[in-house]
């Protein structure tokens, strides 16, 4: 049996919410652990200015708590961090990748366009999350389809069906992650939207923030339209993002 755990590995205080989360996923199957995004890591908390920088910390509104890191939560669940064999990354912004250093032997799975964007010198990316030089496996364009989206099958050391789903815009290689757990499809949309309200209210104030943080805002809006269509046509699929605390709490309360 496959187990799925929902972990909140970030806390951000923003003008829109006092408790912006970082909704990561942990899959456990046959003694192996797979993380989908990693949140802020232990080293980030121990050395925040060196690894993140005071300017970015203040701008984003990070609040640091060692107990909120993925590694500490994994330990509290009774698992060993060395069991994390793979980390599947939606995109390489530091709030999604800071925890990679806590699992130095894990293979990092990421879309090819995202890794190319990272290597291009795009100033949005910090180099520290990958400074431990992990094994990186990239996934390029695929002919596979998943409910109207291109799908790139990820090959971690578990049997769970997992696909990177291109949802470009927030970054030039941003992907969601589709996974099927015990017969239930779900789509982790990462930062395709920050708050669920964006899908229903295009004039929501948070749209100014999502537009400002997008590498390509036209692509971002196109991605939102595709997510809206998916939800309308397939209400049986669970859809949630990274930063919406209300979505996260549905799985933890």
């Amino acid at each position: 049996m496959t187990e799925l755990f929902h972990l909140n590995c970030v806390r951000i205080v923003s003008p829109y919410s006092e408790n912006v989360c970082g909704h990561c996923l942990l899959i456990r199957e046959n003694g192996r652990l797979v993380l989908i995004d990693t949140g802020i890591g232990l080293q980030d908390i121990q050395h925040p200015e060196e690894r993140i920088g005071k300017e970015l910390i203040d701008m984003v509104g990070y609040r640091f708590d060692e107990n909120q890191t993925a590694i500490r939560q994994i330990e509290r669940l009774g698992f060993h961090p060395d069991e994390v064999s793979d980390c599947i990354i939606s995109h390489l912004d530091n709030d999604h990748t800071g925890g990679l250093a806590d699992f130095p032997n894990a293979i990092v799975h990421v879309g090819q366009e995202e890794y190319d964007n990272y290597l291009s010198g795009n100033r949005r990316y910090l180099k520290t999350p990958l400074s431990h030089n992990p094994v990186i496996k990239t996934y390029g364009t695929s002919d596979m389809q998943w409910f109207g989206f291109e799908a790139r099958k990820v090959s971690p050391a578990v049997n769970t069906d997992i696909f990177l789903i291109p949802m470009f815009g927030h970054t030039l290689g941003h992907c969601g992650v589709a996974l099927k757990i015990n017969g239930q499809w779900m789509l982790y949309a990462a930062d395709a939207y920050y708050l669920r309200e964006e899908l229903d209210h295009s004039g929501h104030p948070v749209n100014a923030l999502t537009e400002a943080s997008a590498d390509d805002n036209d692509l971002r809006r196109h991605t939102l339209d595709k997510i809206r269509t998916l939800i309308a046509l397939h209400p049986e699929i669970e859809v949630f993002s990274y930063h919406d605390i209300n979505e996260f709490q549905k799985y933890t309360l």
Side-chain angles (χ1 to χ4, degrees):
M1 180 178 176
T2 301
E3 295 178 277
L4 180 66
F5 303 89
H6 296 261
L7 311 179
N8 178 6
C9 300
V10 176
R11 184 178 173 223
I12 292 171
V13 174
S14 81
Y16 306 102
S17 173
E18 289 292 309
N19 194 12
V20 175
C21 73
H23 189 165
C24 301
L25 300 176
L26 178 69
I27 299 167
R28 185 170 188 257
E29 182 183 306
N30 297 327
R32 294 183 179 272
L33 299 174
V34 174
L35 268 172
I36 299 178
D37 282 345
T38 69
I40 293 296
L42 192 59
Q43 293 186 37
D44 297 330
I45 289 172
Q46 293 171 343
H47 309 284
E49 293 193 15
E50 294 87 343
R51 286 183 60 85
I52 300 175
K54 188 176 187 306
E55 181 179 356
L56 185 58
I57 291 169
D58 292 342
M59 181 178 71
V60 174
Y62 288 122
R63 300 294 187 269
F64 298 121
D65 179 356
E66 179 175 325
N67 291 319
Q68 201 166 14
T69 60
I71 189 170
R72 293 292 184 248
Q73 293 188 63
I74 286 170
E75 291 169 342
R76 287 199 300 276
L77 286 167
F79 309 139
H80 197 286
D82 288 347
E83 295 174 344
V84 177
S85 59
D86 303 86
C87 294
I88 300 168
I89 301 300
S90 63
H91 64 296
L92 292 165
D93 281 348
N94 77 290
D95 58 322
H96 296 252
T97 58
L100 285 173
D102 297 330
F103 312 100
N105 297 318
I107 297 173
V108 176
H109 303 260
V110 68
Q112 182 65 59
E113 296 91 343
E114 182 64 10
Y115 192 51
D116 290 344
N117 196 22
Y118 171 84
L119 294 175
S120 73
N122 189 325
R123 295 180 63 185
R124 72 182 295 141
Y125 299 114
L126 301 181
K127 298 301 182 183
T128 45
L130 293 179
S131 61
H132 62 293
N133 296 316
V135 174
I136 296 174
K137 186 169 184 177
T138 59
Y139 297 81
T141 304
S142 166
D143 292 331
M144 296 183 69
Q145 291 285 303
W146 182 84
F147 296 98
F149 289 85
E150 180 193 338
R152 304 175 183 185
K153 187 168 179 58
V154 183
S155 53
V158 294
N159 294 321
T160 301
D161 287 329
I162 306 175
F163 298 89
L164 284 170
I165 307 296
M167 294 182 161
F168 301 156
H170 178 67
T171 67
L172 296 180
H174 177 279
C175 287
V177 181
L179 59 158
K180 194 173 189 179
I181 301 292
N182 301 320
Q184 172 66 53
W185 276 114
M186 54 183 60
L187 175 65
Y188 162 61
D191 282 3
Y193 61 89
Y194 285 169
L195 298 178
R196 186 74 171 223
E197 286 91 336
E198 292 175 62
L199 299 178
D200 301 319
H201 306 290
S202 59
H204 192 283
V206 78
N207 275 285
L209 180 60
T210 54
E211 289 179 6
S213 62
D215 276 347
D216 187 320
N217 197 49
D218 289 337
L219 279 176
R220 183 191 70 85
R221 287 198 297 262
H222 177 68
T223 289
L224 285 180
D225 286 341
K226 292 193 71 174
I227 294 172
R228 292 183 184 105
T229 299
L230 176 73
I231 291 172
L233 295 179
H234 297 283
E236 74 279 7
I237 298 174
E238 297 178 20
V239 179
F240 53 90
S241 68
Y242 187 66
H243 286 300
D244 192 319
I245 190 66
N246 293 319
E247 288 184 328
F248 175 76
Q249 288 174 341
K250 291 178 182 178
Y251 297 96
T252 58
L253 295 179

